[in-house]
Amino acid sequence: MATTNSSSPDPLLLFRQSIAAGGQPTPTTSPDSDEEVPLSKATHLIFLHPTRVSIPIDTQTRFLSAEGKQVGLRSIYFTWINRDITIPAYNSAAEKLNNELEGNKEAVHSCSFVERLNLVTWLEGAGDETEFIKPIGGGPGGKGGQGLIKKGGEGGEFGGGRSGRGGKGTLDPRLAQIYEGERRMGDRNSVLRGIKPTDFSHIRKLAAQFMTRKPGHHSSSAPGGAPSSSNPITNNPSLPINPKQVRRPDPIILLSPSASSILRMSNAKQFLEGGRYSPPENIVPPPTMLNVSRLIKEMDPNRPIRFILVETPEQFKPEYWNRVVAVFTTGQAWQFKSYKWPNPTELFKHVQGVYLGWRGEQPPESVRGFGHKVLCCSVEKWRDPTQPGAEQSRWRDREVVEGIWKAIEGNMRAKGWKRDAAPKEI
């Protein structure tokens, strides 16, 4: 089993750079070969961005599983190339690959739903913070190499005001590791607190009985008769001494898995993010989740909020339901059987409902019976773009999308979504 050392480039950082440059590594049978081979027979991965680098495929990476075990480079590559398949198909592919591997090779780690989501998001550059990636040089979790990659796939260039081999504005991966290992100077508070901040809030509860003002006791006065300032801890016992910053989870939107739905995983991103409707495509297998971004100025005027789109809650943990902000429905009751609230009337008391149909057609009777918490909207029927005037009817799509987002944002504000916090219960 190979491990990374101080003289070798970081495999995860190289992987992310290759994706940002519009490519991905190639599995080969030797460090000098460029011929791609099946993953079960590969011994090395060849990276071409920013320079050609060969790394043994059984090298352990900084990605840690939920059990705290290091995940090998073969498992990282396997998860990336199978990022769009369903979870049952992914598990079957992992089992098949493990059967093909020889006995002296490490088995592929089958990532869970959360591990897979975090890994793919980090490799794509859509997120810089994840609890599953061990930092380089002791920085915050998951930020190893953060800020070194220019998003958007611009040739794998680096920023940060440093330059090295490879030309102006670029940084050698080895130098990137060295810079990440630099000792960062802290201020007085960070030095005194040590490596891990200590929470002394329990001391406040013990001291409260001694600091309570007794009858007939007068507070000391400052010179000139002005009363001294009161203790802020006594005045506000709920004030935390050392609040911990918690990253806000991404809100979730559930789409209808019905074949009659005109909004599916294949066309939802273009519609909700681009403001243009196109018919769903028959993709086999369809993606299990998507990410769409939306700038909500009332919550965070500087950064778009990322929404996760899924069709089924089969992989949900109980706390995931507090992150659901909208449910798209066609009115079919079987859609809600596996939901936390299988009764549609009860469901739409907690979550914003959306029905999307064709303009000129009435919503189904079942949808109208769900109540006012289900937004009914419609788009123009799809016409072949080659037909005269087909494109002229699509200008209303953006208006419909903005109406949907307005309803979702209003429900989020009512439930307590903020720039850095999500509701504990909806």
Side-chain angles (χ1 to χ4, degrees):
M1 180 185 299
T3 57
T4 55
N5 53 59
S6 59
S7 61
S8 61
D10 179 62
L12 284 181
L13 187 57
L14 281 176
F15 213 132
R16 197 179 185 192
Q17 294 168 15
S18 298
I19 296 171
Q24 65 181 25
T26 303
T28 65
T29 55
S30 70
D32 301 322
S33 174
D34 290 325
E35 181 180 356
E36 185 173 356
V37 298
L39 193 55
S40 59
K41 299 180 179 180
T43 60
H44 292 76
L45 275 186
I46 305 298
F47 296 86
L48 300 179
H49 301 282
T51 57
R52 190 184 192 282
V53 179
S54 172
I55 296 183
I57 202 167
D58 58 350
T59 300
Q60 296 299 301
T61 69
R62 295 183 289 117
F63 189 85
L64 304 179
S65 66
E67 294 78 20
K69 297 181 180 179
Q70 283 186 284
V71 177
L73 187 56
R74 189 194 307 271
S75 302
I76 299 296
Y77 180 81
F78 172 78
T79 300
W80 170 254
I81 62 176
N82 293 289
R83 61 192 181 278
D84 293 329
I85 65 176
T86 61
I87 293 177
Y90 171 81
N91 293 333
S92 299
E95 182 178 358
K96 179 181 179 182
L97 178 58
N98 286 332
N99 292 334
E100 295 175 354
L101 291 172
E102 300 176 2
N104 60 344
K105 294 182 180 179
E106 182 183 6
V108 168
H109 172 71
S110 181
C111 293
S112 65
F113 174 78
V114 178
E115 293 172 353
R116 185 178 170 195
L117 174 62
N118 278 263
L119 176 60
V120 172
T121 301
W122 189 88
L123 289 176
E124 289 177 339
D128 291 322
E129 298 181 3
T130 172
E131 58 183 311
F132 294 101
I133 297 183
K134 183 180 179 182
I136 298 179
K143 291 191 177 181
Q146 175 186 342
L148 301 178
I149 304 174
K150 186 179 292 184
K151 294 182 179 179
E154 299 178 9
E157 292 187 354
F158 298 94
R162 306 203 182 203
S163 62
R165 293 179 298 179
K168 182 178 180 181
T170 62
L171 188 64
D172 185 84
R174 174 62 187 137
L175 290 180
Q177 284 187 283
I178 295 175
Y179 290 148
E180 283 297 311
E182 289 181 344
R183 180 178 180 182
R184 292 166 174 78
M185 300 299 293
D187 57 9
R188 168 180 170 274
N189 292 328
S190 63
V191 172
L192 291 179
R193 292 187 181 202
I195 298 176
K196 183 178 181 181
T198 305
D199 186 3
F200 293 100
S201 58
H202 65 285
I203 302 297
R204 182 180 67 245
K205 298 178 182 179
L206 298 176
Q209 56 182 322
F210 302 104
M211 302 176 68
T212 303
R213 182 178 298 177
K214 297 180 180 180
H217 176 74
H218 299 282
S219 60
S220 59
S221 301
S228 61
S229 59
S230 58
N231 193 318
I233 299 179
T234 305
N235 288 347
N236 189 4
S238 64
L239 181 66
I241 294 179
N242 186 22
K244 298 180 179 179
Q245 293 185 354
V246 180
R247 180 176 176 267
R248 183 202 65 227
D250 297 328
I252 299 174
I253 296 177
L254 279 168
L255 300 179
S256 172
S258 173
S260 62
S261 175
I262 66 174
L263 191 69
R264 302 295 302 274
M265 294 292 284
S266 59
N267 64 343
K269 184 177 181 67
Q270 179 182 358
F271 182 66
L272 295 176
E273 202 171 60
R276 177 181 170 81
Y277 180 81
S278 61
E281 301 175 4
N282 294 325
I283 301 176
V284 181
T288 57
M289 59 187 173
L290 291 173
N291 295 330
V292 297
S293 297
R294 171 76 176 180
L295 181 63
I296 305 179
K297 295 183 179 180
E298 293 80 359
M299 296 184 189
D300 193 342
N302 300 319
R303 295 182 303 171
I305 296 179
R306 185 180 64 178
F307 292 79
I308 298 177
L309 271 61
V310 294
E311 281 188 342
T312 172
E314 62 180 8
Q315 297 294 329
F316 271 25
K317 295 181 179 179
E319 61 269 21
Y320 285 5
W321 283 104
N322 295 327
R323 296 163 52 184
V324 177
V325 296
V327 172
F328 281 77
T329 180
T330 57
Q332 296 165 301
W334 60 263
Q335 175 185 347
F336 316 115
K337 287 185 177 180
S338 60
Y339 283 22
K340 179 180 179 180
W341 302 283
N343 187 334
T345 305
E346 180 67 19
L347 168 68
F348 296 120
K349 289 181 181 179
H350 300 272
V351 182
Q352 175 66 49
V354 181
Y355 169 79
L356 184 66
W358 297 121
R359 189 178 300 275
E361 296 181 0
Q362 289 291 332
E365 184 66 28
S366 58
V367 173
R368 296 198 296 270
F370 291 161
H372 69 281
K373 286 293 291 182
V374 177
L375 173 68
C376 295
C377 47
S378 56
V379 294
E380 295 289 340
K381 289 188 176 181
W382 176 256
R383 297 170 58 190
D384 189 346
T386 59
Q387 296 181 2
E391 292 297 319
Q392 297 179 5
S393 62
R394 300 262 62 92
W395 65 270
R396 293 192 180 95
D397 292 349
R398 182 170 293 277
E399 181 182 0
V400 175
V401 171
E402 289 301 320
I404 294 174
W405 280 118
K406 183 178 179 180
I408 294 176
E409 293 167 11
N411 180 71
M412 291 178 67
R413 288 192 294 269
K415 295 300 182 182
W417 283 86
K418 298 179 182 178
R419 182 179 64 87
D420 53 358
K424 295 182 179 180
E425 185 176 0
I426 62 173

